[in-house]
Amino acid sequence: MTTAVDNAIEELDVLLVGAGFAGVYQLDRLRRLGYSVKIYEAGSDLGGIWYWNCYPGARVDTEGPIYQFSREDLWTDWEFSERYPGWREVRQYFDHLEHKLDIKKDVRFDTRVEGADFDSERNQWVVRTTDGRTARCTFLVPCLGFASRPHIPDIPGLDSFRGECHHTAWWPQQGLDFTGKRVAVIGTGASGVQVIQEAARDAADLTVFQRTPNLALPMHQKTLTPEDQQTIKASLPRRFEDRISTFAGFDFDFLPSNAVDLSPEERTAGYEQAWQYGGFKFWLGVYQDTLFDPASNDHAYAFWRDKVRARIKDTELADKLAPMEAPHPFGVKRPSLEQNYYDLYNQDNVHLVDVAENPIDAVTPAGIRTRDGVEHAVDVIVLATGFDSVSGGLTQLNLVGTDGTLLRDKWADGIDAHLGMMTAGFPNMIFLYGPQSPSGFCNGPTCAELQGEMVIEMIEHVTKSGKARIEPTPDADEAWSQHVRELIEPTLFPLAKSWYMGANIPGKAIQSLNYPGGLISYRTKYAEAKDRDYAGFIVS
Ligand code: N01
């Protein structure tokens, strides 16, 4: 149904940007509903974040069984081999989706969207790509994920380095072997922890540049046996159902009790149980006051700290990696899942530089020079320095609204986005997994389905009512931001400089970039707006 206009302009009902979980879900659903729809994808294959982040060790931090779509015809003949699948296997899952859904025929790969303007006469977005393509679409649906704009810190001399230097999210597709090399890793977030575990094993020498310790949790990785697979298959319908009724789209939730109300023995027993289960249970499956009450949070931190310190032989190193005083409240920066992260610092080939105390002054042709004058000579620098998260993917596109304002200028002092899906002045641009939606607080495939259905309902609402455009009012945008502020204020999240709050990017406005009320509340808010004929939106 796609029509070529003027031999060069592709005219579509819906243009999706990005071929990860959200884009694939939208394409399949919208195509079945009869829309002309395509995905433009900057990478050369499906996978979204799993295409770009192919660094050694990249791995899912959600249990595999619920890191997939819940449609029975898609899960019956699919299984991940490990409890927490690695990036290669997630790519195989996308091959499985391709096999089942025939997605690629409607994807333009190696096609990067550089900007779009709204044509108010024809109620269409006019979308430009870096290779000179133009498309016109009624709806523009960015499916960019929350981590599509890597953050490269402004370190003097970075370009002068003579070895190999890569950000984890722009990792060479052909791979990079650390064996026998001197490797530096800057950053100890989830990407850093994962790449450090690989480099510690393979590199001749590894130097980790840590600014803030990662309060990482045990993954308890496991290769799944045929018996495990059988049990998983039998439990899948229930687990998919459970995702809908939890805070973060997982199949577990906070305990209904408060840590501060329990005896030390009871409290510790609860922590121990979550710790032994592994993964995010110790974060999103412990006491409900953990992320609100400083006293409760102190208990969680003390438990974590004592577990971790017991694994580190050198006390000075333990003070850096798991300090006696919490560097920030536990769990308000996203914890990573680790396998041998703290043990590897006991190896002779691994060194830690605390850049909070001894900052990086410059990158030199031969390595990294710190404030104390030491030059750390290395062959490879890994920038595990994170992302301009949640909003950065959208603001890096040159999206121009109806009054000629660029989206990035509109949001320069802070984001307002009604229901975390649209913003005033940008009609028919509905974003998934974006700012002020559950996004970074929600399991990706869960959100691709649940929020994905909301997007589809909105498109259907406009189309079936014979209208041409939908956009929120500025008041609705502001009211949603106010709601998000009221939800985040009583929590401990504002106390850390995290990407959740936009605080990892110099100059970025500090605010909760994600919807902090949980998936249940988010879905209720959407349903309320929908029931009131899409309250807060103008459909014209
Ligand atoms: O990024 P991050 P990430 N000098 O922002 C440091 C998801 N993810 O790519 O903490 C020195 O967490 C920075 O230090 P500080 C996951 O949701 C998932 O690791 O700001 N250091 C920090 O240590 C995750 O939360 C998986 O003080 C500098 C690090 O770089 C999100 O993506 C795997 C610096 C950045 O950590 C982001 O994770 C990977 C500087 N100038 C990622 N600038 C899964 O497991 C920054 N840092 C699915």
Side-chain angles (χ1 to χ4, degrees):
M1 286 189 292
T2 305
T3 47
V5 177
D6 297 335
N7 285 335
I9 300 178
E10 182 158 51
E11 200 146 326
L12 298 161
D13 296 326
V14 187
L15 178 64
L16 308 164
V17 188
F21 279 102
V24 167
Y25 186 83
Q26 289 292 309
L27 182 76
D28 178 59
R29 287 281 287 114
L30 288 166
R31 218 168 42 180
R32 282 169 201 265
L33 289 167
Y35 291 93
S36 62
V37 50
K38 283 231 178 324
I39 299 179
Y40 284 8
E41 163 59 56
S44 305
D45 208 340
L46 300 179
I49 197 150
W50 299 104
Y51 174 81
W52 298 103
N53 289 258
C54 58
Y55 58 85
R59 188 172 288 288
V60 181
D61 58 10
T62 300
E63 288 186 67
I66 57 161
Y67 200 74
Q68 62 176 323
F69 289 136
S70 64
R71 250 174 60 182
E72 190 168 352
D73 60 321
L74 298 178
W75 62 255
T76 33
D77 53 353
W78 174 260
E79 49 199 37
F80 286 113
S81 66
E82 294 177 298
R83 185 179 179 195
Y84 295 95
W87 65 271
R88 281 194 178 79
E89 211 172 9
V90 182
R91 283 192 179 184
Q92 285 164 14
Y93 178 66
F94 277 91
D95 291 342
H96 168 71
L97 292 177
E98 168 61 14
H99 176 67
K100 292 278 189 167
L101 305 175
D102 203 9
I103 294 295
K104 288 187 190 180
K105 68 174 189 218
D106 287 316
V107 185
R108 294 201 184 284
F109 291 109
D110 304 305
T111 302
R112 182 175 286 280
V113 169
E114 65 149 23
D117 298 62
F118 192 73
D119 174 349
S120 289
E121 300 262 298
R122 290 176 60 185
N123 289 316
Q124 281 182 322
W125 282 96
V126 183
V127 181
R128 300 175 306 279
T129 67
T130 49
D131 59 356
R133 185 185 298 277
T134 302
R136 283 183 162 269
C137 55
T138 309
F139 295 96
L140 176 63
V141 180
C143 301
L144 302 170
F146 71 72
S148 58
R149 186 181 193 190
H151 168 58
I152 308 267
D154 188 14
I155 305 175
L158 202 50
D159 290 342
S160 71
F161 183 58
R162 280 200 301 260
E164 288 213 53
C165 175
H166 302 287
H167 190 283
T168 44
W170 282 321
W171 202 256
Q173 292 292 323
Q174 71 277 15
L176 171 60
D177 186 2
F178 290 146
T179 308
K181 301 207 168 83
R182 297 164 303 169
V183 176
V185 178
I186 304 178
T188 54
S191 309
V193 164
Q194 292 180 336
V195 85
I196 287 164
Q197 291 177 142
E198 303 292 309
R201 187 192 58 214
D202 297 336
D205 198 74
L206 166 67
T207 308
V208 175
F209 294 82
Q210 170 191 283
R211 191 164 66 184
T212 308
N214 191 322
L215 314 187
L217 299 173
M219 174 177 273
H220 295 329
Q221 176 67 310
K222 181 179 192 302
T223 302
L224 299 169
T225 63
E227 292 74 42
D228 292 330
Q229 300 288 9
Q230 255 187 346
T231 314
I232 286 169
K233 277 265 156 34
S235 69
L236 270 182
R238 177 188 52 76
R239 295 180 77 174
F240 286 134
E241 201 51 41
D242 287 350
R243 301 178 314 170
I244 301 170
S245 55
T246 63
F247 176 86
F250 293 122
D251 54 349
F252 57 82
D253 218 343
F254 292 103
L255 299 174
S257 44
N258 290 327
V260 293
D261 296 335
L262 302 175
S263 71
E265 294 74 23
E266 286 170 324
R267 199 165 45 227
T268 305
Y271 287 142
E272 189 63 44
Q273 213 177 6
W275 193 265
Q276 293 312 328
Y277 182 85
F280 283 156
K281 257 276 170 69
F282 190 81
W283 180 38
L284 301 174
V286 285
Y287 308 110
Q288 61 173 6
D289 56 349
T290 310
L291 301 174
F292 291 87
D293 183 335
S296 166
N297 197 279
D298 284 348
H299 289 308
Y301 182 76
F303 183 95
W304 174 88
R305 177 198 64 207
D306 295 348
K307 285 280 190 195
V308 168
R309 287 181 74 91
R311 291 163 58 186
I312 306 162
K313 290 188 184 138
D314 181 302
T315 313
E316 266 181 50
L317 262 177
D319 287 342
K320 300 282 181 213
L321 292 161
M324 293 308 292
E325 288 294 319
H328 52 74
F330 170 78
V332 299
K333 286 179 97 154
R334 185 171 166 123
S336 309
L337 301 190
E338 57 88 26
Q339 301 184 67
N340 65 335
Y341 181 66
Y342 298 104
D343 316 281
L344 64 84
Y345 286 95
N346 297 322
Q347 295 173 203
D348 291 339
N349 68 329
V350 180
H351 323 282
L352 183 77
V353 176
D354 177 355
V355 300
E357 193 178 276
N358 181 23
I360 294 171
D361 264 354
V363 170
T364 66
I368 296 175
R369 197 178 62 240
T370 39
R371 184 68 48 88
D372 58 4
V374 173
E375 187 176 27
H376 305 265
V378 292
D379 306 306
V380 179
I381 297 177
V382 180
L383 297 171
T385 44
F387 300 87
D388 181 351
S389 300
V390 192
S391 56
L394 285 168
T395 54
Q396 77 180 337
L397 301 178
N398 297 301
L399 299 173
V400 183
T402 42
D403 69 354
T405 306
L406 272 167
L407 183 66
R408 88 172 137 269
D409 292 339
K410 180 183 176 192
W411 282 352
D413 297 327
I415 288 152
D416 287 329
H418 184 38
L419 288 169
M421 294 214 276
M422 295 193 81
T423 192
F426 292 78
N428 295 8
M429 202 255 299
I430 315 178
F431 36 88
L432 267 146
Y433 221 53
Q436 301 189 330
S437 80
S439 194
F441 285 150
C442 185
N443 173 22
T446 309
C447 230
E449 292 184 330
L450 297 182
Q451 200 193 18
E453 284 303 312
M454 299 175 191
V455 172
I456 291 159
E457 282 180 353
M458 286 165 73
I459 291 174
E460 286 272 90
H461 175 73
V462 178
T463 312
K464 290 203 166 140
S465 57
K467 301 283 173 59
R469 59 197 259 185
I470 180 168
E471 69 175 298
T473 64
D475 285 351
D477 278 355
E478 170 49 29
W480 187 255
S481 285
Q482 179 61 21
H483 174 53
V484 169
R485 269 196 297 279
E486 283 164 7
L487 288 169
I488 204 74
E489 266 161 20
T491 75
L492 302 174
F493 281 94
L495 299 181
K497 285 180 77 176
S498 71
W499 65 258
Y500 284 149
M501 299 295 299
N504 64 324
I505 301 299
K508 190 166 174 173
I510 308 288
Q511 66 181 134
S512 178
L513 290 172
N514 304 293
Y515 179 74
L519 201 52
I520 307 168
S521 164
Y522 181 71
R523 295 181 75 219
T524 306
K525 291 279 174 197
Y526 167 80
E528 284 168 4
K530 183 186 156 195
D531 288 349
R532 289 191 289 130
D533 212 15
Y534 285 92
F537 293 96
I538 304 163
V539 183
S540 56

